[in-house]
Amino acid sequence: MIKENIVQEKSYNFAIEIIQLIKKFPRKNDGFVLGKQLLRSSTSIGANVEEAIGAFSKSDFIYKMSIALKEAREKHYWLRLIRDSNMLNQNAEAYVLKAEELIKILTAIVKRSKNQN
């Protein structure tokens, strides 16, 4: 039986939510540019988490999780920009809060991993 991995599950599900959100972006230049940036950072988080799970050493694990954290922070930036520019007709605040939750989880994993002997 495979043990449930919260960060793996959350990063994957949130990437799917972002893919669905991007489909609602305006069909003009700003929508394409921001959508591309958001999609890239969003899907990269889960990919790096997957790589960290298969890491061959503790330092490799920390490195990959740190990249996932970096991408989560970038995703958070794009979501705030989208929210504050009123690009969407719907409330983007829920997405910003989910990004913050993911950042907190990844930060805790990286810090805990670095502090383990």
Side-chain angles (χ1 to χ4, degrees):
M1 182 173 194
I2 297 176
K3 185 178 175 185
E4 181 179 325
N5 185 317
I6 299 298
V7 73
Q8 180 183 32
E9 189 176 312
K10 283 187 178 286
S11 61
Y12 181 83
N13 290 334
F14 198 15
I16 290 173
E17 286 183 50
I18 294 300
I19 291 167
Q20 297 303 318
L21 176 68
I22 290 169
K23 291 177 181 179
K24 299 174 185 172
F25 277 24
R27 300 276 186 228
K28 49 188 179 174
N29 198 38
D30 58 345
F32 291 126
V33 171
L34 290 175
K36 182 178 177 182
Q37 294 288 3
L38 181 58
L39 180 63
R40 188 197 56 73
S41 61
S42 297
T43 55
S44 181
I45 298 166
N48 279 290
V49 167
E50 290 288 341
E51 287 187 35
I53 291 168
F56 55 87
S57 67
K58 180 180 175 183
S59 62
D60 187 38
F61 175 84
I62 293 169
Y63 176 71
K64 294 297 183 184
M65 281 296 187
S66 295
I67 293 173
L69 174 57
K70 179 180 146 259
E71 295 293 341
R73 295 191 61 76
E74 181 180 343
K75 174 186 195 168
H76 184 249
Y77 170 80
W78 295 120
L79 286 168
R80 289 186 351 252
L81 191 61
I82 290 161
R83 176 198 63 197
D84 296 344
S85 67
N86 297 314
M87 176 182 275
L88 297 173
N89 291 332
Q90 68 185 72
N91 185 356
E93 183 64 21
Y95 296 98
V96 172
L97 294 174
K98 284 185 179 187
E100 290 172 358
E101 177 187 21
L102 197 51
I103 289 169
K104 288 177 185 176
I105 293 168
L106 289 164
T107 298
I109 290 170
V110 171
K111 283 183 179 180
R112 193 174 330 115
S113 297
K114 285 181 177 179
N115 291 333
Q116 289 177 345
N117 292 329

